[in-house]
């Protein structure tokens, strides 16, 4: 990537940009995506996509000025930067270059061969065929090697390499009248050695079995009832109903139910929420964010009290706070936004089995899918993708088509048992048209009463 443009040119452009703003930055990126897909017993596609580009950002007066190009010749790069200058006022500012941080070995760059990828997805396809009622199967394996370099007007020069491994199987079962689909993913930020340890066929078989289980299950009952969220549910609740509301761009603009509530009690004393980009191998981890700030363990809620929001450079400057390493972007084509990394509720002291046995009649949620959240009010609706009745303190028969409806702060305040376990889920978080890799997690939790929707 360093050979694609003149380093002297970039430094010269940054000095010129810095004369017109409080902060100037160049973000160069080179990404290689390798994807193998098998569908219904046949290879569907094998892709190898390369993309590179550079963007410039200028912050002045609380506003962001941004431009990018995929054409890395000197004139186009210069024209892209000049377009930003025309939008801001003139001023005298000096910058110095000195610091250079190279973290290319933070994540190993070793990857599996194309033959290995095809072998993996074909084996996953076979593993998902648990019954003749499985009528549709799609298995995917991808590696995304992302090399970035950030040079800014503060003197930082940071290079980083991250390799994201993602695999999943989607299986659909049908009895001729009803169809049920299950999706199971696995992956993280690591290389070939760690990837070989993943149980690809295990998740494919699990997807097939879950689709079959839901096909045979009866519809979930509806009404107010106790709900136990198992750790396998992976933290969808904390990510959606809590985490987004603690991103500073939403909270500081009054678009969050948690706005202006720092220092207040916003959850049960049993609840502590952390966003931690330093966890080794997790999908939301990195050494430095997409603004060149070190990742960190940020305590957001501690024993029920709201301690902090997540900040990028822009909102840290606006609010007079220290940035928290949460400035992320999908690629060089986008400006950074405040984004989560690995967000989780810290484990408590209750044994998971004791939490289940404490409920005479209710719903056990083993996994959750998508949903909708209004960050202003905290109201949410989530889909339950794997659920079971709890009867006489034991997990009973499976049910399907359940939803959970409630309010984030209210539910967090009601939780009265927190398990000693911790289960992680992975995905891609969307915000303002951008998707970034994330992980979320939670221990087993008991909600004394919540609205369960069924059919």
């Amino acid at each position: 990537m360093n050979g694609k443009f003149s380093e002297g040119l970039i430094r010269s452009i940054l000095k010129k940009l810095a004369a017109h703003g409080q902060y100037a930055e160049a973000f160069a990126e080179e990404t290689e995506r390798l994807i193998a897909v098998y569908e219904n017993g046949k290879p569907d596609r094998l892709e190898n996509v390369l993309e590179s580009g550079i963007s410039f950002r200028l912050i002045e007066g609380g506003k962001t000025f941004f431009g990018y190009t995929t054409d890395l010749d000197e004139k186009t790069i210069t024209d892209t930067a000049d377009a930003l200058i025309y939008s801001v006022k003139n001023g005298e500012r000096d910058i110095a270059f000195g610091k250079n941080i190279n973290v290319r070995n933070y994540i190993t760059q070793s990857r599996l061969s194309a033959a290995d990828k095809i072998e993996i997805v074909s084996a996953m396809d076979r593993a998902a065929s648990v019954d003749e009622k499985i009528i549709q199967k799609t298995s995917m394996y991808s590696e995304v090697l992302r090399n970035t370099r950030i040079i800014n007007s503060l003197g930082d020069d940071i290079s980083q390499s991250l390799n994201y491994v993602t695999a999943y199987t989607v299986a659909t079962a049908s009895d001729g009248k009803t169809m049920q689909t299950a999706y199971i993913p696995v992956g993280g930020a690591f290389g070939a050695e760690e990837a070989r340890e993943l149980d690809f066929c295990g998740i494919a078989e699990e997807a097939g079995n879950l689709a079959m289980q839901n096909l045979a299950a009866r519809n979930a009952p509806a009404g107010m009832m106790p709900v136990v969220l198992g750790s396998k549910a992976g933290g969808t609740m904390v990510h959606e109903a809590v985490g987004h509301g603690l991103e500073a761009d939403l909270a500081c603009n009054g678009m969050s139910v948690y706005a202006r509530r720092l220092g207040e009690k916003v959850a049960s004393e049993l609840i502590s929420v952390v966003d931690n980009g330093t966890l080794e191998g997790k999908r939301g981890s990195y050494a430095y964010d997409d603004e060149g700030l070190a990742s960190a363990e940020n305590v957001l809620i501690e024993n029920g009290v709201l301690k902090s929001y997540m900040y990028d450079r822009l909102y840290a400057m606006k609010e007079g706070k220290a940035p928290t390493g949460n400035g992320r972007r999908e690629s060089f084509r986008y400006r950074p936004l405040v984004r989560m990394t690995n967000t989780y509720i810290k484990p408590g002291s209750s044994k998971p089995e004791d939490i289940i046995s404490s409920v005479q009649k209710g719903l056990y949620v083993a996994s959750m899918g998508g949903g909708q959240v209004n960050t202003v009010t905290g109201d949410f609706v989530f889909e339950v993708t794997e659920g079971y009745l709890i009867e006489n303190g034991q997990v009973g028969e499976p049910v399907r088509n359940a939803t959970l409806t409630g309010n984030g702060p209210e539910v967090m305040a009601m939780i009265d048992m927190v398990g000693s376990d911790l289960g992680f889920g992975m995905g891609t978080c969307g915000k303002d048209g951008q998707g970034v890799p994330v992980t979320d997690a939670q221990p087993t939790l008991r909600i004394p009463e919540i609205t369960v929707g069924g059919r």
Side-chain angles (χ1 to χ4, degrees):
M1 183 170 61
N2 291 346
K4 296 286 182 81
F5 54 80
S6 164
E7 182 175 317
L9 172 66
I10 301 305
R11 294 184 182 276
S12 173
I13 287 173
L14 282 176
K15 287 183 179 180
K16 186 162 60 172
L17 286 173
H20 299 274
Q22 297 168 280
Y23 172 82
E25 167 193 276
F27 180 89
E29 180 180 30
E30 184 178 77
T31 299
E32 182 178 11
R33 294 179 174 85
L34 300 104
I35 301 171
V37 179
Y38 232 75
E39 188 167 355
N40 293 333
K42 298 179 181 179
D44 181 71
R45 66 185 190 275
L46 182 65
E47 298 179 1
N48 188 347
V49 180
L50 295 170
E51 184 178 49
S52 60
I54 188 168
S55 64
F56 295 97
R57 182 172 60 131
L58 187 64
I59 296 178
E60 172 62 18
K63 296 180 179 180
T64 295
F65 301 86
F66 178 80
Y68 74 89
T69 179
T70 58
D71 189 344
L72 300 182
D73 70 81
E74 182 171 332
K75 182 179 186 305
T76 304
I77 289 175
T78 302
D79 289 347
T80 301
D82 286 345
L84 303 186
I85 295 174
Y86 298 143
S87 302
V88 296
K89 62 183 180 181
N90 293 325
E92 293 288 334
R93 301 186 193 278
D94 295 322
I95 69 171
F97 295 98
K99 290 181 285 182
N100 186 292
I101 301 171
N102 192 309
V103 288
R104 290 185 176 275
N105 294 321
Y106 171 63
I107 297 296
T108 176
Q109 295 188 39
S110 61
R111 290 175 289 169
L112 299 179
S113 68
D116 288 335
K117 294 179 177 66
I118 294 171
E119 182 180 342
I120 287 171
V121 291
S122 63
M124 292 170 70
D125 182 89
R126 293 190 298 272
S129 301
V130 297
D131 192 278
E132 62 183 12
K133 292 180 181 178
I134 299 294
I135 61 168
Q136 176 75 27
K137 303 166 295 176
T138 301
S139 294
M140 188 278 298
Y141 179 97
S142 78
E143 290 178 355
V144 178
L145 178 60
R146 185 178 188 238
N147 295 308
T148 59
R149 185 177 181 185
I150 301 169
I151 306 175
N152 64 31
S153 57
L154 303 177
D156 299 317
D157 185 347
I158 298 170
S159 297
Q160 181 170 227
S161 182
L162 293 166
N163 190 59
Y164 295 102
V165 173
T166 307
Y168 66 74
T169 291
V170 179
T172 300
S174 174
D175 59 8
K177 297 179 181 180
T178 303
M179 288 194 301
Q180 289 289 319
T181 298
Y183 161 81
I184 307 291
V186 69
F190 40 67
E193 183 175 345
E194 296 87 349
R196 292 183 191 279
E197 299 299 316
L198 298 175
D199 187 4
F200 299 111
C201 289
I203 67 156
E205 184 177 355
E206 184 180 353
N209 285 331
L210 181 56
M212 289 297 300
Q213 175 178 292
N214 286 340
L215 185 66
R218 68 183 178 94
N219 289 323
M224 297 289 290
M225 66 185 72
V227 167
V228 175
L229 298 179
S231 60
K232 184 185 170 185
T236 299
M237 175 80 73
V238 67
H239 178 97
E240 296 290 352
V242 180
H244 277 299
L246 300 182
E247 293 168 337
D249 53 348
L250 296 177
C252 297
N253 286 318
M255 299 297 292
S256 166
V257 69
Y258 296 104
R260 297 176 296 278
R261 297 195 64 186
L262 287 174
E264 294 184 17
K265 191 172 185 295
V266 295
S268 161
E269 294 178 359
L270 301 175
I271 296 296
S272 292
V273 178
V274 175
D275 184 84
N276 188 349
T278 70
L279 301 179
E280 184 176 357
K282 296 303 181 185
R283 184 167 160 81
S285 295
Y286 44 77
Y288 290 85
D289 71 2
D290 293 326
E291 300 183 292
L293 291 160
S295 64
E297 179 181 6
N298 297 304
V299 178
L300 306 176
I301 297 174
E302 186 174 36
N303 299 327
V305 177
L306 180 56
K307 292 292 186 178
S308 176
Y309 301 125
M310 292 167 276
Y311 295 92
D312 63 354
R313 285 191 189 273
L314 176 64
Y315 276 87
M317 292 169 67
K318 284 184 174 183
E319 300 296 318
K321 302 287 187 179
T324 58
N326 290 94
R328 307 184 65 189
R329 61 182 108 198
E330 180 176 325
S331 74
F332 66 90
R333 299 175 185 272
Y334 301 88
R335 63 183 179 88
L337 300 172
V338 188
R339 306 300 297 271
M340 285 175 274
T341 61
N342 307 302
T343 312
Y344 57 94
I345 296 175
K346 295 179 69 173
S349 59
S350 297
K351 295 180 180 179
E353 57 268 29
D354 291 343
I355 297 177
I356 294 170
S357 65
S358 71
V359 177
Q360 283 299 107
K361 187 175 182 179
L363 180 70
Y364 178 78
V365 177
S367 62
M368 292 169 59
Q372 295 180 331
V373 179
N374 184 328
T375 59
V376 178
T377 63
D379 294 335
F380 65 78
V381 178
F382 291 127
E383 175 191 6
V384 176
T385 54
E386 183 180 359
Y388 303 84
L389 296 179
I390 299 177
E391 298 174 302
N392 300 318
Q394 295 187 355
V395 175
E397 67 171 300
V399 291
R400 69 188 188 196
N401 299 329
T403 60
L404 301 181
T405 302
N407 177 273
E410 290 177 5
V411 169
M412 289 297 113
M414 282 194 293
I415 291 172
D416 59 1
M417 295 185 78
V418 177
S420 55
D421 54 347
L422 188 64
F424 287 85
M426 53 163 275
T428 298
C429 175
K431 179 179 177 181
D432 289 358
Q434 296 191 45
V436 296
V438 295
T439 298
D440 35 61
Q442 65 168 59
T444 299
L445 304 170
R446 187 176 81 164
I447 305 170
E449 190 175 65
I450 189 172
T451 302
V452 175
R455 293 186 186 176

